[in-house]
Amino acid sequence: MLALTGAVQADEEREWPRGHYPLPEEGNVIGEVYTVTVDDHEDTLIDIARRHNVGYEEIVRANPDVSIWIPGEGTEVTIPGKFILPDAERTGVVINVAELRLYYFPEARNGETPRVESYPIGIGREGYDTPLGITKTTMRLQDPAWYPPRSMREEAAARGEPAPAVVPPGPDNPLGRHAVLLDIPGYLIHGTNDPDGIGMRASRGCIRMFPEDIESVFHTVPVGTQVNIIDQPIKVGWQEGQALVQVFEPLESQEHGMSALIDTISRLNAGNANGAAFDFEQLRGLLEAPTGQVVALQAPPEPEPDEAPALNGLFEELALSDD
């Protein structure tokens, strides 16, 4: 059991199911960051993450000093439940592989508040990248059989562990109890018999979800729904006039370079209705050490008294990059 503190209110939790958020009338930020206090010595950080709609990497990044397996009674755990919506059309399903998260924008019926549902996911590990692009859902399967791909069977045979041609429904089936097929041959959104892997790059390209999350998606996402799979490691947000950024590590083995910094500055300036000034050195620091957290950009520091304003290192680099 966990004791809640922070920004989440009990009456709001009753009104909106886990993972459901009203679409903001202004800006593009949903959810809140809050803390919970562990009061069960058997709880792991992964157990806590699952109960609060976040994945493995999300909970670990938000709690770098907390033990994954034994947080301990009385330990405060930060729940990173605040998200900037991806810069994509708000229709159907949007999967941002960079943040290991799925967003579903159901059509609002008459009188309904427009909402978005968001869930942590697992994606393809290195060498088995989840494909990007726009596709659609084609079929829903309950209690599906799993047919291991030939490459997996060959790898298993090479290890002396021949894989079966088919795995029937049941506790050993890695697809779990629900699967949604995509219009990309061989790729699905499905459950799992290993929920600890949600929020990690651990699959052969398919999108994995917690069993309870895929069950919800299975029953609410119609066949033929658009699915937009994107790779957006840097998100820019606005909430009550405050500029926010959310930065994730790139999936490929490179850092966010100068071009990413310039592009982010351009996106911030495009949405800067109030003409606010930003501390671009702070932004560069976030790109150099991504945290996955939603961070408010601060105003630039005031110059020292009696010192004329000068180009700081960032702007000198920008000037040199144009040569």
Side-chain angles (χ1 to χ4, degrees):
M1 296 296 292
L2 299 164
L4 292 178
T5 61
V8 172
Q9 302 297 320
D11 56 345
E12 291 180 354
E13 290 185 342
R14 285 194 293 268
E15 291 177 7
W16 292 92
R18 192 189 73 156
H20 294 219
Y21 308 88
L23 279 176
E25 295 182 4
E26 295 183 1
N28 58 346
V29 180
I30 58 173
E32 294 289 346
V33 175
Y34 56 99
T35 62
V36 297
T37 301
V38 181
D39 59 10
D40 186 338
H41 71 278
E42 295 185 355
D43 268 340
T44 69
L45 206 57
I46 299 173
D47 295 331
I48 296 167
R50 181 172 179 178
R51 286 201 292 271
H52 291 272
N53 193 43
V54 295
Y56 177 87
E57 289 192 7
E58 291 175 316
I59 198 73
V60 170
R61 283 193 301 255
N63 299 275
D65 299 323
V66 177
S67 168
I68 296 173
W69 302 113
I70 311 174
E73 290 186 54
T75 300
E76 284 197 349
V77 174
T78 298
I79 305 298
K82 189 172 189 175
F83 312 102
I84 296 174
L85 295 175
D87 185 13
E89 183 183 6
R90 295 180 184 179
T91 186
V93 173
V94 176
I95 295 171
N96 188 5
V97 294
E99 66 173 313
L100 297 162
R101 187 157 281 273
L102 177 150
Y103 297 85
Y104 172 47
F105 300 89
E107 293 186 12
R109 299 170 183 162
N110 290 337
E112 278 189 338
T113 299
R115 75 179 192 276
V116 58
E117 302 175 20
S118 184
Y119 306 101
I121 58 172
I123 63 169
R125 63 182 182 270
E126 188 173 353
Y128 294 93
D129 295 340
T130 299
L132 306 179
I134 295 178
T135 183
K136 64 180 179 180
T137 60
T138 60
M139 186 181 298
R140 292 178 288 192
L141 299 175
Q142 185 160 345
D143 293 320
W146 178 55
Y147 298 85
R150 177 181 297 177
S151 61
M152 176 177 277
R153 298 200 305 273
E154 290 174 348
E155 291 172 8
R159 297 192 303 267
E161 305 169 355
V166 59
V167 177
D172 296 326
N173 190 315
L175 300 184
R177 296 204 58 197
H178 301 86
V180 178
L181 277 63
L182 301 178
D183 197 21
I184 306 175
Y187 290 91
L188 308 82
I189 304 173
H190 62 80
T192 179
N193 63 345
D194 183 20
D196 288 354
I198 300 303
M200 302 172 62
R201 297 189 68 184
S203 78
R204 286 183 169 247
C206 288
I207 294 97
R208 297 177 178 176
M209 302 182 70
F210 284 129
E212 60 272 20
D213 293 344
I214 185 60
E215 183 175 5
S216 175
V217 168
F218 182 88
H219 290 295
T220 58
V221 176
V223 170
T225 296
Q226 175 178 292
V227 177
N228 187 6
I229 307 175
I230 62 175
D231 179 9
Q232 198 171 105
I234 304 172
K235 297 191 295 180
V236 172
W238 296 89
Q239 189 175 44
E240 298 179 352
Q242 172 68 61
L244 308 167
V245 291
Q246 190 174 15
V247 185
F248 302 88
E249 293 184 7
L251 294 183
E252 303 301 327
S253 57
Q254 76 259 7
E255 298 177 350
H256 294 301
M258 187 60 66
S259 60
L261 177 60
I262 294 172
D263 176 69
T264 306
I265 291 173
S266 176
R267 290 162 58 195
L268 283 164
N269 287 335
N272 190 6
N274 298 325
F278 308 122
D279 184 351
F280 293 128
E281 288 292 348
Q282 178 198 10
L283 175 60
R284 181 166 65 171
L286 292 170
L287 268 59
E288 290 175 349
T291 65
Q293 308 301 304
V294 175
V295 178
L297 284 184
Q298 306 301 318
E302 293 291 334
E304 292 294 329
D306 303 324
E307 286 187 5
L311 288 175
N312 60 24
L314 170 60
F315 293 108
E316 290 173 355
E317 291 181 27
L318 291 176
L320 290 172
S321 69
D322 292 333
D323 293 344

